Amino acid sequence: MAVQQRKTVVTETTKTETTTTSTKNVDHQVGKTWGRDRDVSFGTILISLGILVMSPIWVCYTYISCNGYECAMSAPALEIYNAPDALVALKTLLARELPTFSPYAARLFFTWLTLQAVLYAFLPAQIGYGQRTPAGHLLPYKVNGLLAWVISHSIYAAGGLYFGWWKLSIIHDNWGGLLIAANAYGYFLTFFCYIKAHLFPSHAADRKFSGSFIYDLLMGIEFNPRFGKYFDFKLFHNGRPGIVAWTMINLSFAAAQYEKIGYVTNSMILLNLLHATYVLDFFYNEDWYLRTIDIAHDHFGFYLAWGDSVWLPWLYTLQSHYLVRNPVDLTPIQFAFIFAVGFTGYFIFRSVNHQKDIVRSTNGECMIWGKPAKVIRTSFVTSDGKTHKSLLLCSGYWGLSRHFNYVGDLLISLAMCMTCGTKHLLPYFYIIYMTILLLHRIQRDQTRCKGKYGKFWEEYMKVVPYKLIPYVY
Ligand code: NDP
């Protein structure tokens, strides 16, 4: 391999500061392509198996806690623990509390899925582009989620309030049956994508084979499974049936609370407001989402297929399930405090993500916090052997830490949970989960970016040493 001089690369848009270092040419590309050919250890396979088995059990457990025990998380476990015969108690509990199949709920779920697929495929759309994939593809995506959200919610509201086709609490009222239907679909999609990846992949060179069936099933093989040019499985399932439903589920649970106690608590209103802000922001900035880790990094397996179909709609909305069973009336000070935490988080989240987007779309020719953006100009090689250019922002929020956007997300998540008061732990599942997810994501991203950018990433880590919170972590 040639040894050559490399230009680094802290650029202020008007002034280029250049240091010269000796390094091997594209040394980060040798042998493996970044994001591919991962060696999977036995430990990773065991953890993967644990996730495959435990995730559905956990979703069912939370359903049982809420449905039968007013969302008291420990209650079902204690009932079994305290029973003279734990096995008999477990069987009795499951027979009594497990959700059952309902043809009506199944029709509801599959009508919803079909509606979202039709809206995704046929609504007018802008075409957005993701990041270049490791095999060198730059894929187009249909960006029309905001319109799909508006139409879906209009149908839901008109059907419930004007035509009387259903009660607004329809989702709450069919929650168990919907859970069964969503699971059936989530599993079908997981296995379908596993088989598709082997038999008729959309982009064969962008597949990742780990050598482990369990790991491949969990994390996926295909990077961008598609039907035709535009029906992208990842964007559709990440962004449509589950996320459009997120706000609708909350509204339905708010309607159920109204039916139950005669009014909607201010905590439920605040929760709906926080979730709606997050969801609408997602759709308003859908084009930005194409260049986040979900789309630019993750392959499509159980993690996303089942996760988007079941985990997200069931667990991200836990707080509204809780508030139906345990109405909380916040004092004006509590309300104002939670509102402030939530919207401070949102402000940070949006501003950080916007800085990255703007610096990339202007190729670094922009102002960040009133000063020319400081960037590290990088290059990387895709598996087709071509070299591409990119840049890493290292001023503004991105100079504070490498993932300051996660701080914003954690604050919003905390505020969502705080709407439920402090009586029970279950509604705090979301912030606990988000903390684990994002801390783990920092590690994953670190591995990926190091593989992709090599020495440039190390340079960046020296300029921006903190991962999340400046001077702390
Ligand atoms: P980022 O949007 O931070 O994306 C990370 C990627 O950005 C890296 O892989 C790299 O990709 C690029 N990058 C890294 N550093 C820089 C830099 N200094 N300048 C420019 N580009 C850089 O992370 P996520 O995709 O995880 O998150 C996006 C948002 O979504 C976050 O706000 C997060 O909190 C939120 N989120 C929400 C979840 C939820 O379930 N509610 C789950 C996960 C995330 P490359 O160089 O290849 O482009």
Side-chain angles (χ1 to χ4, degrees), residues 161-362:
L161 295 172
Y162 186 75
F163 294 110
W165 291 335
W166 47 68
K167 292 201 303 181
L168 287 182
S169 57
I170 180 170
I171 305 175
H172 164 273
D173 301 342
N174 290 281
W175 200 230
L178 287 169
L179 178 57
I180 301 278
N183 262 289
Y185 181 68
Y187 280 105
F188 164 77
L189 188 62
T190 303
F191 283 99
F192 175 79
C193 288
Y194 183 84
I195 294 166
K196 178 181 176 314
H198 284 88
L199 299 185
F200 49 105
S202 303
H203 304 98
D206 260 324
R207 289 175 298 172
K208 180 176 73 176
F209 291 100
S210 69
S212 154
F213 166 73
I214 289 171
Y215 188 83
D216 285 353
L217 196 69
L218 176 70
M219 297 309 290
I221 297 170
E222 273 204 89
F223 193 38
N224 300 109
R226 288 187 167 203
F227 283 149
K229 190 175 174 192
Y230 287 117
F231 199 94
D232 184 83
F233 283 33
K234 204 157 44 166
L235 181 61
F236 174 69
H237 288 97
N238 270 10
R240 298 306 161 74
I243 296 197
V244 177
W246 187 346
T247 37
M248 209 177 276
I249 293 166
N250 280 332
L251 287 171
S252 187
F253 276 72
Q257 191 191 53
Y258 181 81
E259 282 175 18
K260 195 171 167 191
I261 61 172
Y263 72 104
V264 179
T265 58
N266 59 0
S267 53
M268 182 67 103
I269 292 170
L270 183 53
L271 176 70
N272 270 261
L273 186 67
L274 289 167
H275 279 175
T277 306
Y278 197 70
V279 168
L280 282 170
D281 173 274
F282 173 88
F283 286 120
Y284 186 76
N285 295 292
E286 195 177 8
D287 184 71
W288 151 81
Y289 179 64
L290 302 178
R291 290 170 296 282
T292 63
I293 290 176
D294 286 350
I295 297 288
H297 186 179
D298 290 336
H299 288 242
F300 196 76
F302 176 90
Y303 171 68
L304 290 178
W306 182 87
D308 293 334
S309 309
V310 181
W311 184 272
L312 187 156
W314 262 261
L315 296 185
Y316 283 24
T317 57
L318 260 184
Q319 301 100 5
S320 61
H321 311 183
Y322 177 87
L323 288 173
V324 172
R325 276 94 185 185
N326 306 275
V328 171
D329 294 304
L330 299 168
T331 65
I333 289 178
Q334 287 169 335
F335 188 98
F337 179 71
I338 298 170
F339 184 94
V341 172
F343 280 90
T344 304
Y346 173 69
F347 176 78
I348 294 173
F349 163 85
R350 179 43 43 216
S351 323
V352 185
N353 288 322
H354 179 68
Q355 280 188 352
K356 183 182 106 176
D357 216 32
I358 202 82
V359 85
R360 284 265 170 105
S361 62
T362 59

Side-chain angles (χ1 to χ4, degrees), residues 131 246 278 288 291-294 316 349 353 356 359-360 390-394 398 402-403 405-406 409 430 434 437-438 441 445 448-449 452-453 457 460:
Q131 291 291 74
W246 187 346
Y278 197 70
W288 151 81
R291 290 170 296 282
T292 63
I293 290 176
D294 286 350
Y316 283 24
F349 163 85
N353 288 322
K356 183 182 106 176
V359 85
R360 284 265 170 105
S390 188
L391 54 80
L392 296 167
L393 173 62
C394 47
W398 294 83
R402 303 202 288 271
H403 291 279
N405 47 354
Y406 293 173
D409 216 320
Y430 186 60
M434 283 299 284
L437 176 94
L438 294 178
R441 197 173 265 235
D445 197 42
R448 172 181 178 267
C449 290
K452 181 175 179 181
Y453 296 123
W457 186 258
Y460 172 58

